[in-house]
Amino acid sequence: MHEMSLMESVIEIICETARLNGARRVKSVRLDVGVLSHVDPDALLFCYEAVRHGTLADRARLEINRIAGEGWCLDCGTAVALKERFGACPHCGRHRVQMTAGDELKIRDMEVI
């Protein structure tokens, strides 16, 4: 389960950022997780519960925003929705689609006190 190491890194980043900015506690965290990122949001939530205890994020609320897959077809020059990695362009059927969104895992923002 790679979500555990991912969430450990998220907790480390938000707690270090909070400390560097003089915060006493993290109140909430919002993550953007792409639907094509191979990261399971339910597993992330489970891991969050396991690793946040004893940190500045001990009582922080976690919100996970799912980011849809999007791409740019290099053949027909069209922005397209992607339902799978390396999928065909729904307009021309070719497979030269460059992914532009949907594979990210990033900290959108956090609220501290």
Side-chain angles (χ1 to χ4, degrees):
M1 174 190 302
H2 67 280
E3 284 84 359
M4 184 63 78
S5 62
L6 291 172
M7 190 50 69
E8 287 172 336
S9 294
V10 167
I11 292 293
E12 184 180 319
I13 291 167
I14 64 174
C15 289
E16 181 64 19
T17 301
R19 272 192 288 281
L20 289 173
N21 288 282
R24 297 185 318 272
R25 181 168 71 89
V26 178
K27 286 181 61 175
S28 64
V29 178
R30 288 193 306 169
L31 299 180
D32 287 346
V33 179
V35 297
L36 304 175
S37 67
H38 301 292
V39 176
D40 180 351
D42 292 330
L44 276 181
L45 286 169
F46 176 83
C47 295
Y48 179 69
E49 292 300 323
V51 300
R52 70 181 175 152
H53 298 288
T55 71
L56 292 179
D58 197 353
R59 295 181 290 171
R61 179 179 46 81
L62 175 64
E63 178 184 323
I64 297 176
N65 302 312
R66 296 294 278 165
I67 306 300
E70 297 176 7
W72 179 259
C73 180
L74 300 171
D75 289 317
C76 67
T78 306
V80 297
L82 289 178
K83 302 225 183 289
E84 62 181 347
R85 286 180 174 267
F86 312 112
C89 172
H91 300 290
C92 71
R94 295 192 176 144
H95 288 270
R96 290 183 6 113
V97 179
Q98 182 177 15
M99 188 181 309
T100 57
D103 66 341
E104 60 267 63
L105 169 61
K106 66 180 183 179
I107 300 168
R108 160 80 48 198
D109 56 29
M110 61 189 230
E111 182 180 1
V112 298
I113 57 171

